[in-house]
Amino acid sequence: FVGPKVGKDLTNKAILAIVFAWLGMLIYIAWRFEFRYGLGAIIALIHDTIITIGVLSLLNKEFTLVIVAALLTIIGYSINDTIVVFDRIRENRKKDLKKSLAEIINSSVNETLSRTILTALTVFFVLLALFFLGGPVIHDFAFALLIGIVVGTYSSIFIASPIVLSFENLQLSKTKGKK
């Protein structure tokens, strides 16, 4: 039995752990790439976390330390996937300065798509095995990760890079408006 005070403390510490993970990653990615890349990655991570928590809430899953560990694992997996795409964007940007950012993002996502899908499928099948064969102790962890892997793969492709492009377009429109 966990009392309400301990449960509230656990929830607060879990939220702090997730927010600090996001902030640390934002600082690192902004330093390693550019701020807009960090912003795109963090918004994608927030998306992943909220969707996973939402699905778990809809299914009335208990929010435990195991779920917190799964959420932090999802954040790590998703940021790794997003960084692979961002790295390819950066490489392609250096190769061809004449292409627009939209063209570079499109080709970079296409170049990394097979790797992203193969990695996600491999992890997904392992998690399915853990979910069905791992027993009750690992059941919630595997379930949360199954949701997170699907959502994280989606966000790495369809959320992080478009946010970078939107931020670029916003900056360009501000620059044109000042002239």
Side-chain angles (χ1 to χ4, degrees):
F1 173 78
V2 175
K5 183 168 175 63
V6 174
K8 183 176 169 118
D9 189 47
L10 169 69
T11 303
N12 289 339
K13 287 184 179 178
I15 291 169
L16 281 175
I18 291 169
V19 169
F20 285 140
W22 289 338
L23 288 173
M25 288 179 201
L26 174 65
I27 292 166
Y28 172 74
I29 296 167
W31 171 73
R32 179 101 162 90
F33 294 95
E34 294 174 28
F35 177 74
R36 63 181 166 198
Y37 290 96
L39 187 64
I42 296 307
I43 290 173
L45 291 178
I46 292 169
H47 166 270
D48 300 345
T49 307
I50 289 174
I51 296 295
T52 303
I53 290 172
V55 170
L56 293 172
S57 294
L58 286 173
L59 298 174
N60 285 330
K61 295 284 187 185
E62 186 179 357
F63 194 78
T64 63
L65 284 175
V66 171
I67 298 298
V68 173
L71 290 173
L72 291 171
T73 304
I74 291 164
I75 289 170
Y77 174 86
S78 184
I79 197 68
N80 181 60
D81 219 16
T82 303
I83 291 296
V84 168
V85 175
F86 285 174
D87 238 5
R88 185 59 55 96
I89 292 169
R90 186 174 56 180
E91 289 171 8
N92 288 341
R93 226 167 163 194
K94 289 178 184 176
K95 280 192 234 176
D96 195 351
L97 299 173
K98 295 177 186 174
K99 281 187 179 178
S100 70
L101 182 60
E103 293 171 318
I104 291 171
I105 287 174
N106 187 39
S107 63
S108 299
V109 167
N110 286 330
E111 289 171 12
T112 58
L113 190 59
S114 62
R115 176 248 175 235
T116 299
I117 290 172
L118 289 174
T119 302
L121 281 175
T122 304
V123 172
F124 188 80
F125 289 137
V126 169
L127 289 171
L128 275 177
L130 283 174
F131 181 75
F132 289 113
L133 305 172
V137 173
I138 198 132
H139 189 263
D140 287 345
F141 182 76
F143 183 72
L145 284 178
L146 280 167
I147 296 164
I149 294 305
V150 172
V151 174
T153 301
Y154 171 83
S155 72
S156 294
I157 298 168
F158 296 109
I159 293 180
S161 298
I163 288 174
V164 171
L165 183 60
S166 296
F167 195 72
E168 170 87 359
N169 292 338
L170 182 67
Q171 294 294 77
L172 289 175
S173 68
K174 282 183 180 178
T175 306
K176 286 180 183 177
K178 289 182 180 179
K179 289 182 179 180

